[in-house]
Amino acid sequence: MNRISTLLIAVALPIAFAAPAIAQEGNTLGTVVNGNTTTTFKAADTRDIDTRKLKTWNAFAAEHPKVASELAHNPALINDDAYAKKHKQLGAFFAANPDIRQAMAANPGNYVAIPPRPGE
């Protein structure tokens, strides 16, 4: 009986640790094929993202869709002080949330990625 218990634990333990990792694989949102390159867009693993920052950014982006779209198409604008001056609301947002600006600069895809449209 002791061997059976040990065997069950030896089998169950790795499965218990592997299950969350398997479940975290994101759903495929879309795929883009360009020549020999295939890019697959998957849902983000939220364990790696500070959801408070993301929700704060999403609220701003919903109120300022033009700015959010421009940042999505050109993430380098995140660190462009002239752009932030031109868009005073963005400058004020980054001044109030410097941690979000740093997170966006480090990982722009977490905040401003544009998933492919159907058929792309």
Side-chain angles (χ1 to χ4, degrees):
M1 185 70 172
N2 194 15
R3 284 185 174 174
I4 293 174
S5 298
T6 304
L7 181 62
L8 287 175
I9 291 172
V11 171
L13 214 53
I15 292 172
F17 284 109
I22 293 168
Q24 288 299 321
E25 289 187 22
N27 295 334
T28 299
L29 301 175
T31 304
V32 175
V33 178
N34 186 5
N36 292 333
T37 304
T38 301
T39 305
T40 302
F41 294 87
K42 292 193 173 204
D45 178 358
T46 57
R47 294 177 299 171
D48 297 351
I49 299 173
D50 183 337
T51 55
R52 179 197 59 81
K53 291 178 187 173
L54 186 58
K55 286 178 183 178
T56 303
W57 166 252
N58 284 342
F60 175 86
E63 292 177 21
H64 305 91
K66 183 176 185 247
V67 171
S69 177
E70 288 176 357
L71 290 176
H73 286 92
N74 187 1
L77 295 174
I78 294 166
N79 291 320
D80 187 337
D81 290 331
Y83 183 80
K85 264 187 181 174
K86 179 180 173 186
H87 300 279
K88 295 189 185 314
Q89 301 92 346
L90 180 65
F93 177 81
F94 282 155
N97 302 283
D99 57 331
I100 294 176
R101 186 178 196 172
Q102 290 172 341
M104 288 177 74
N107 296 299
N110 289 347
Y111 295 88
V112 295
I114 304 171
R117 293 181 293 258
E120 280 189 330

